[in-house]
Each structure stands twice: as structure tokens, then as C-alpha cells.
Amino acid sequence: MKTTIFTLAAILSFTAAMACEHCKKYEDSKDFKIKSAQVIHNKKYGSLEFEITVEGTAGKTVPTAVGKMDMAPVLGYVFPTTLKPEDIGFNPTEGIVALALTSHPDFDDSPLWDENADGKFDNDGIVWHPHWVVLVKDERVKGGLSVKEYKKADKITKPKTAPDMPMYMDSPGYQVVTQQSAIRVSVPTYRVNNKVDFNYDAVSCYMQVSAPANGMSMDKPMLGVINVYSVLSGKLTLPYKVK
């Protein structure tokens, strides 16, 4: 695990300054400049309280829709952790387990949840919502990371709340709250196998979907990190511990 963390740290250090045309407009936004983060074990309510604070207004800035899945933008506040994939309901596999709070107006990948409470379950991807993902090194994208994929024929164990996509991604439905400079999410401890002693970091980033009309391209990942705006520790070393 330590080797993987330091490998990813090296990737991010090298690629942090690299940008795509679509994500340049977010580079200088204080809404993605992370000031602090914390994960608190709330024993009274049996939950883990994740929080990121930024220099600007957390969650105020959302992506501009492109009108299609291919090249669809995704903005995220992400907590890479030392949790294991099996702690969040997946089969054991290599990669970094991260809790990503995301917004993406072009698609909805949480079909079980109606985040904007309008009675429709397929139109609220722009509302900030959580995903558990497993991240892996990926040189196909400038950010150096992507959500781990698998073939549909593979025998994969996934959480019941995971969307029907061939990636290690879950849509757990936790409530995401934004308040001034903070974005927060509360996770019941039983949803992480009651693991309350782990390390984490905090990252803000721009991701992008690859879904060409003629089928998946091997040139790009289904969901890759294109640009990293802020890393709280500086080098993604996951030095912070649950309080």
C-alpha cells in the first residue's frame, strides 16, 4: 500500500501543473483551493464525518454541461484513504479507495437516489453527491489516475448501490452538505466495515468521461483525472488520521 501511495504521489507532483482546455477556467477558483480537511469518528451516532474546507465557497462552482456523455466534465472534492476495497463492498483488488464528492450535469450515475427531490431519479447529476471509487495509476490521462475498470465478463463483487457501469464505483447515497467554505458528508461506520482508524488526504480535481458513440476507446479511461487543483498534504502521502 505504501508503495502505491508514493507512486501516485509522484504522478500527481509531475502532472499537477498540466491542464486541459476545458478545466483551465477552474484552475484559479478559490472554490477548489483546499485549506483544511478532517474526518471525525462520531461515536454518539456511529458515523464518520468527512469535511473539506476551501478558500472560497465549497460546491458553488459546478461544471458547464457539454450535452453528451463523451467528454462530460466532472468536478470533485476527493478523500483518498487507506481503506480496502472490501471495506466498502467490493472484492479485494489493487488501488486506492477514495470517497469522491462530485458534480456533473451531463449524466446521472446514482439511479437509486433522487438528490433534488423532484420525483425523478435520472436528472440530478449536477447536485453534489458521493461516490466510493478505487483509483489506479493511468498514463492515458494527464492527471495520472482513473477509476479502475473491469470487463463485464469478470466476476466482480460490488455493493448493491453501485450503478451499472464496469468500474469500481459505488453510489452510496450519503447526504452531502455545503455550507459557506465547507463541504461535508456523513458515512455510517457499518458502511465501511466499521473501520474507523485509517489515513486519508484531501484533493480537488477535474475528471472527464470517455464514452465515444462508436463504443469504448482504449485510448482513454471511462473516468479519468485530467487536472488536480489542490492536494492538502502537497504530495498525496495520506498523512491525516481519523480523529
Side-chain angles (χ1 to χ4, degrees), residues 48-145:
L48 290 163
E49 315 298 335
F50 289 73
E51 178 185 87
I52 285 175
T53 59
V54 295
E55 293 180 8
T57 302
K60 178 182 178 181
T61 301
V62 295
T64 301
V66 298
K68 58 179 181 176
M69 276 286 285
D70 192 35
M71 304 292 286
V74 180
L75 285 171
Y77 300 95
V78 184
F79 296 87
T81 75
T82 55
L83 290 167
K84 297 178 180 179
E86 51 266 43
D87 292 330
I88 57 169
F90 290 105
N91 54 276
T93 189
E94 291 295 319
I96 298 292
V97 170
L99 181 60
L101 312 183
T102 66
S103 173
H104 42 74
D106 291 292
F107 63 100
D108 189 318
D109 53 6
S110 54
L112 294 178
W113 320 112
D114 179 17
E115 287 93 345
N116 61 6
D118 67 349
K120 300 178 182 179
F121 290 77
D122 61 356
N123 68 345
D124 40 24
I126 195 171
V127 178
W128 288 96
H129 60 281
H131 291 292
W132 284 113
V133 294
V134 177
L135 298 173
V136 292
K137 176 183 176 182
D138 198 321
E139 297 178 351
R140 295 174 294 174
V141 285
K142 292 180 179 179
L145 301 168

Side-chain angles (χ1 to χ4, degrees), residues 113-181:
W113 320 112
D114 179 17
E115 287 93 345
N116 61 6
D118 67 349
K120 300 178 182 179
F121 290 77
D122 61 356
N123 68 345
D124 40 24
I126 195 171
V127 178
W128 288 96
H129 60 281
H131 291 292
W132 284 113
V133 294
V134 177
L135 298 173
V136 292
K137 176 183 176 182
D138 198 321
E139 297 178 351
R140 295 174 294 174
V141 285
K142 292 180 179 179
L145 301 168
S146 70
V147 178
K148 189 170 187 174
E149 302 168 22
Y150 61 86
K151 297 178 180 179
K152 289 189 176 181
D154 294 341
K155 294 182 179 180
I156 300 297
T157 299
K158 298 177 67 174
K160 298 295 184 182
T161 49
D164 186 20
M165 299 177 177
M167 293 186 289
Y168 281 87
M169 181 174 73
D170 184 25
S171 300
Y174 313 136
Q175 178 70 55
V176 174
V177 175
T178 57
Q179 183 181 33
Q180 298 176 348
S181 63

